[in-house]
């Protein structure tokens, strides 16, 4: 996005887990974010014509303040693990040298609230009570595995002074690749002789929520989970 270069060292996009709703996170994970990683503040506005106004709107007022956004990354170990756990709600890790097995189960009640903190030049912004509503994971032969998350905020968004900027400590190392169509299926429903290679795939995890809960303030009062879906598509050779 213009004015928000991802490669500027001082710029960052970070997410942190809250201990509870309405309690901002105290520690953050700094992603090696790609373009489109940000939240934007916007207002919904109601316009009304009243007696004597003529052809122009006489009354406009704000009805809702939103701070929704998304996160795009090349999948690395820590960032990918966190996004999956924050989307599904649970992450049990079993050590198995030299690798670690992750068992991640969708749990409605345990999906955490997050705080987002972002810096673009001298503009610092923060919003809380975030929940991830969609996460897509895509892979194509010879390219990095990519993850794209979308989130909604049920908290306030505000600017912070530059002096309070966080110190970004980003994850290092290469991202996970999907090399040479390396997922190999010994048998396949369409080819009982086996030998089927997956050359491209996409998995989309969707957490459907009620985001219309609003009481006395301009912000959402809550983001309530309703349903859980997973769509998977792939190309075989």
């Amino acid at each position: 996005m213009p004015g928000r270069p991802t490669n500027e060292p001082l710029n960052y996009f970070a997410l942190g887990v809250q201990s509870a709703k309405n309690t901002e996170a105290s520690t953050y994970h700094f992603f090696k974010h790609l373009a489109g990683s940000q939240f934007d503040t916007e207002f919904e506005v109601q316009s009304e014509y009243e007696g004597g106004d003529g052809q122009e709107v006489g009354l406009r007022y704000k009805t809702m303040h939103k701070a929704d956004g998304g996160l795009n990354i090349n999948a690395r170990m820590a960032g990918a693990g966190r996004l999956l756990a924050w989307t599904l709600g649970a992450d049990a890790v079993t050590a198995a040298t030299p690798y670690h097995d992750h068992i991640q189960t969708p749990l409605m009640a345990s999906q955490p609230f997050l705080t987002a903190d972002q810096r673009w030049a001298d503009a610092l912004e923060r919003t809380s009570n975030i929940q991830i509503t969609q996460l897509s994971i895509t892979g194509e032969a010879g390219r990095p595995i990519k993850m794209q998350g979308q989130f909604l905020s049920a908290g306030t968004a505000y600017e912070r002074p530059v002096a309070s900027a966080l110190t970004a400590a980003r994850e290092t190392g290469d991202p996970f690749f999907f090399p040479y169509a390396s997922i190999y299926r010994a048998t396949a429903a369409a080819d009982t002789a086996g030998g089927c290679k997956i050359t491209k795939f996409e998995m989309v995890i969707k957490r459907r929520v009620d985001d219309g809960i609003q009481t006395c303030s301009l912000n959402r009062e809550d983001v309530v989970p309703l349903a859980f879906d997973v769509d998977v598509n792939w190309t075989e050779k």
Side-chain angles (χ1 to χ4, degrees):
M1 181 174 182
R4 294 183 175 180
T6 59
N7 59 333
E8 169 59 44
L10 291 179
N11 291 350
Y12 63 75
F13 183 87
L15 290 174
V17 178
Q18 299 178 188
S19 60
K21 183 186 173 185
N22 298 325
T23 302
E24 289 187 354
S26 57
T27 59
Y28 294 84
H29 180 80
F30 296 87
F31 295 89
K32 291 181 72 70
H33 56 282
L34 299 171
S37 300
Q38 65 201 46
F39 66 85
D40 293 304
T41 58
E42 62 179 25
F43 292 94
E44 290 186 0
V45 177
Q46 179 71 32
S47 300
E48 295 181 356
Y49 291 92
E50 297 180 304
D53 288 338
Q55 296 185 13
E56 296 188 10
V57 175
L59 177 64
R60 287 190 175 93
Y61 54 92
K62 298 172 183 176
T63 58
M64 180 174 282
H65 180 202
K66 297 180 179 180
D68 306 330
L71 171 64
N72 302 324
I73 62 169
N74 290 317
R76 289 176 170 81
M77 182 170 60
R82 283 178 169 85
L83 279 181
L84 282 167
W86 296 342
T87 304
L88 297 175
D91 181 17
V93 182
T94 303
T97 306
Y99 306 105
H100 295 281
D101 293 332
H102 289 255
I103 301 174
Q104 297 180 316
T105 306
L107 297 174
M108 291 295 212
S110 64
Q111 188 182 17
F113 285 101
L114 309 173
T115 301
D117 196 277
Q118 63 183 14
R119 176 177 184 176
W120 310 108
D122 291 336
L124 272 69
E125 297 173 301
R126 178 175 291 183
T127 187
S128 58
N129 294 344
I130 282 174
Q131 288 209 316
I132 297 175
T133 57
Q134 181 170 304
L135 179 66
S136 67
I137 307 168
T138 57
E140 185 175 353
R143 298 178 181 272
I145 294 176
K146 296 187 180 294
M147 304 180 76
Q148 296 180 316
Q150 298 177 13
F151 57 78
L152 297 177
S153 171
T156 59
Y158 61 95
E159 294 185 1
R160 304 194 304 119
V162 175
S164 65
L166 304 176
T167 301
R170 297 180 179 87
E171 193 170 1
T172 59
D174 293 332
F176 296 125
F177 276 77
F178 188 57
Y180 314 119
S182 61
I183 295 182
Y184 182 87
R185 299 173 63 203
T187 60
D191 179 11
T192 55
C196 177
K197 290 182 179 180
I198 296 177
T199 60
K200 182 189 299 185
F201 73 89
E202 179 183 36
M203 175 186 292
V204 182
I205 303 170
K206 303 175 183 178
R207 303 211 67 156
R208 306 187 188 280
V209 299
D210 182 353
D211 63 349
I213 302 174
Q214 188 178 7
T215 54
C216 299
S217 70
L218 289 176
N219 306 303
R220 295 187 183 96
E221 179 66 23
D222 207 347
V223 177
V224 178
L226 299 176
F228 175 87
D229 294 309
V230 178
D231 296 330
V232 181
N233 298 286
W234 66 85
T235 302
E236 297 179 350
K237 178 181 178 181

